[in-house]
Structure formats: C-alpha cells, structure tokens
Amino acid sequence: MEFISVEDLMVPLEEYATVKEDDTLFDAVMALEAAQQKRNVEKHPFMHRAVLVLDDRGEVVGKIGHIDVLRALEPRYKDFGDTKSIARAGFSPQFIRSMMDNYHLCDSSLVDMCSKGARIKVKEFMYSPEEGEKVDAEASLCEAIHQFVMTGMHLGLLVVKEGKIVGILRRTDVFMTVFGLMKECEIKEESKK
C-alpha cells in the first residue's frame, strides 16, 4: 500500500477561511462563505467547518468552529467557564434546561442575538488550539488517524511544517480517504474470486 502523508490530504492554509484577530464575527462568516465558493471541490468536496484566526504576522493563533460561533451569540456563556467539561459531566436534559432558565440565556430574539454577535471581535471568542491539535505535515495518515481517535473531539488538526501551520487536516477528508481505500481493497478482493 502506498504511503499517504498528512500533507497529501490537508487543505492548504491559503485555501482555507482565515480572518485577523481584530475582525468581527460577521467578517468570519463572510470569509467562510468566500472560502466555500473557491474551494477545490475535486479534492475537498465537503464544506469547510471552521475559520482560522491569524495574528498580524499571518500566523495561526486561533480557530472558530460552529460551537464557538453559537457560544459567541450569548455572552453569558463565558460565566460558565469551560463548557466542554460541563458537557462531559453528563448532566440531565432537565438540569441543562434549568441553567438556561436560571441564567436567562437566550432571553432576546435570535435576530437580536445575531445582530449583536456579528459585531463581536473574533479574539473575544476564538478557540486557541492546543498542542494535541497539531500534526506534522510529514506524518503518515495512520498517525493522524491515531491522533483523531485518541483525542476524539477535533474536526480538524492543524498541519505544521518547519514550525509553521501550513494547513488543516479535516476529519471528514480522512474518513473519505479511508472509505475509498476500503472500497478499493474490496473491489480487488472481489476480482480475485
């Protein structure tokens, strides 16, 4: 079987949606829309699901995913601290609902929340990637799969080459590659019979 590297499958940084730290959520939405329209559909058929945040030097310092955008719409979510830990704690649906009522979350209309949220600066709600979310460009796809499985939470890994982030390896692209290889192997097995 041929060697597939992370770099072979990643979406290069220049093809991904990016914004600066001082841009707004609206800017991020527009950057994501623009990146969707110009993406290489042949190589990456699935839509991008995040926006990368760059500092003034053009270095990736953050990431905005779907949940980050939704969290930004209600500023009081900051009062809860690490909501990922809360999610893993296994609270009942009734308890989660009571939090919403007790903290008066989502008291304004969704239109108002979106209007206010659109003006929030990206640096106020972006997620700063941890070391476990990075993978070397030269690493094998098998190494990346291991990293996805062991961390379980990331939809994409930032790809690093010579100390710089050069792209993103999306879990969906990895899955489609694995799926394609499975089909290819099965077809070869069937033709041997």
Side-chain angles (χ1 to χ4, degrees):
M1 172 132 310
E2 74 180 59
F3 177 82
I4 301 173
S5 75
V6 165
E7 192 169 26
D8 294 333
L9 205 55
M10 74 175 193
V11 178
L13 191 58
E14 57 272 4
E15 292 179 23
Y16 212 75
T18 60
V19 291
K20 297 282 189 179
E21 292 174 288
D22 285 324
D23 287 342
T24 63
L25 175 52
F26 181 77
D27 296 325
V29 168
M30 298 309 293
L32 183 58
E33 185 176 281
Q36 302 294 22
Q37 292 172 354
K38 70 177 186 178
R39 80 182 190 285
N40 180 346
V41 180
E42 292 288 316
K43 188 170 182 184
H44 303 287
F46 296 101
M47 298 179 78
H48 301 312
R49 297 176 69 181
V51 177
L52 299 178
V53 182
L54 309 175
D55 64 13
D56 292 332
R57 298 174 317 213
E59 302 288 326
V60 176
V61 293
K63 199 162 122 177
I64 305 167
H66 292 164
I67 198 69
D68 302 310
V69 170
L70 298 176
R71 193 178 293 121
L73 296 178
E74 175 51 80
R76 287 173 279 196
Y77 281 124
K78 287 181 185 176
D79 298 339
F80 293 107
D82 181 13
T83 54
K84 289 177 187 169
S85 296
I86 292 172
R88 288 189 295 265
F91 292 115
S92 71
Q94 295 83 5
F95 179 77
I96 299 295
R97 177 71 186 165
S98 73
M99 288 174 69
M100 190 173 157
D101 294 339
N102 292 336
Y103 286 91
H104 306 287
L105 301 172
C106 303
D107 276 352
S108 49
S109 77
L110 186 57
V111 171
D112 287 343
M113 290 170 64
C114 289
S115 177
K116 290 176 185 171
R119 296 187 294 265
I120 297 172
K121 297 249 185 237
V122 166
K123 64 183 171 190
E124 293 179 35
F125 66 91
M126 72 178 195
Y127 169 72
S128 296
E130 299 166 0
E131 204 54 43
E133 292 177 66
K134 297 176 184 172
V135 63
D136 192 88
E138 308 291 319
S140 72
L141 192 53
C142 216
E143 288 177 59
I145 290 169
H146 176 71
Q147 200 165 336
F148 276 122
V149 169
M150 295 311 293
T151 60
M153 296 185 54
H154 309 299
L155 297 176
L157 298 174
L158 298 173
V159 180
V160 179
K161 188 172 189 173
E162 298 173 5
K164 286 188 70 170
I165 295 171
V166 295
I168 189 162
L169 179 66
R170 303 180 317 170
R171 189 167 62 190
T172 189
D173 294 328
V174 172
F175 175 79
M176 290 310 295
T177 299
V178 168
F179 186 68
L181 288 170
M182 282 181 188
K183 286 181 5 184
E184 190 177 299
C185 292
E186 185 64 25
I187 291 169
K188 286 179 184 174
E189 283 298 314
E190 285 295 318
S191 67
K192 288 181 183 179
K193 292 180 181 179

